[in-house]
Amino acid sequence: MRKVVAGMQMTIDGMIDGPDGYADWVDSWSDTFDLLPEIDACVLGSGMYEGYEHYWSAIKADPHSPLELSGNLPTSEEIEYADFALNTPHYVLSNTLDGVRWANTTVLRDAGEIDVLRRKPGKTIYVVGGARTVSGLLDRGTIDELRLTIHPLVVGEGKALFATVAQRHRLQLNEAKSRSDGTVSLVYSVGK
């Protein structure tokens, strides 16, 4: 069975968005989890889909223009991820979306459809986000591994990654690395 990995960037106090609704502390939305070589499918929630699709499509369309969110030019890693995002099958968990604009994108009506995907041949499945999707999949036992990039910041208010988790989950730390930019990378196995 294929492994399912969720990767998220968050502050020390567990926030993935600040009080203004975005993570202004993230300098790059590229693969900070060292996952690209391992994955061949991505899952995300409907709340995240539109912004995700817009962000990566804009970089792919014009990699030399400043990004709408930050005003910065895309990094070379973001340009690489934009290619990956547009060429890798994506699955959007949604009961409300009627369709999606991206090629290689399928709407899943039920999280149980990820179990079907897990049984098909392939590499690791990457849960891109958002917070409700990660929490829901964690509660149903779908996620095998959490990869977290922790930013050295306390924001106090915002959207907490695990705010909607309904039950306790035991994790086992497999790896911890501090990086030169002050972030810490943590890799946890999820107990079943």
Side-chain angles (χ1 to χ4, degrees):
M1 187 172 295
R2 294 162 76 178
K3 183 165 78 169
V4 177
V5 174
M8 300 293 285
Q9 296 196 52
M10 59 194 282
T11 61
I12 288 174
D13 56 342
M15 301 299 170
I16 60 165
D17 285 335
D20 295 327
Y22 60 93
D24 62 352
W25 55 86
V26 176
D27 294 328
S28 174
W29 289 105
S30 59
D31 175 30
T32 62
F33 313 108
D34 302 323
L35 277 170
L36 286 187
E38 299 176 30
I39 56 179
D40 65 358
C42 296
V43 173
L44 62 155
S46 60
M48 184 176 177
Y49 169 72
E50 186 177 331
Y52 181 90
E53 183 270 334
H54 176 76
Y55 189 84
W56 298 114
S57 293
I59 290 174
K60 183 67 177 163
D62 188 0
H64 306 293
S65 288
L67 297 167
E68 187 177 319
L69 274 178
S70 67
N72 298 327
L73 290 174
T75 65
S76 59
E77 293 84 6
E78 285 178 314
I79 294 168
E80 177 186 7
Y81 191 90
D83 286 336
F84 167 82
L86 291 168
N87 292 305
T88 301
H90 279 64
Y91 300 88
V92 181
L93 282 170
S94 177
N95 291 320
T96 58
L97 282 179
D98 293 326
V100 290
R101 292 185 300 260
W102 253 2
N104 289 329
T105 302
T106 303
V107 175
L108 303 178
R109 297 293 179 203
D110 183 87
E113 293 181 67
I114 296 171
D115 297 333
V116 174
L117 185 61
R118 290 182 82 177
R119 289 190 288 273
K120 293 182 179 180
K123 295 178 174 182
T124 297
I125 300 167
Y126 175 32
V127 180
V128 179
R132 284 187 319 247
T133 299
V134 170
S135 294
L137 293 176
L138 190 61
D139 280 340
R140 73 180 303 280
T142 302
I143 294 177
D144 301 301
E145 184 176 278
L146 284 172
R147 294 193 187 190
L148 304 172
T149 297
I150 311 298
H151 291 262
L153 177 70
V154 174
V155 294
E157 291 183 33
K159 181 191 284 184
L161 173 55
F162 300 115
T164 61
V165 167
Q167 61 198 37
R168 181 184 297 209
H169 298 276
R170 294 217 177 265
L171 306 176
Q172 177 177 331
L173 181 64
N174 294 334
E175 184 178 305
K177 287 188 215 172
S178 62
R179 297 184 172 147
S180 60
D181 64 357
T183 61
V184 175
S185 172
L186 302 172
V187 179
Y188 290 99
S189 292
V190 178
K192 300 292 181 183

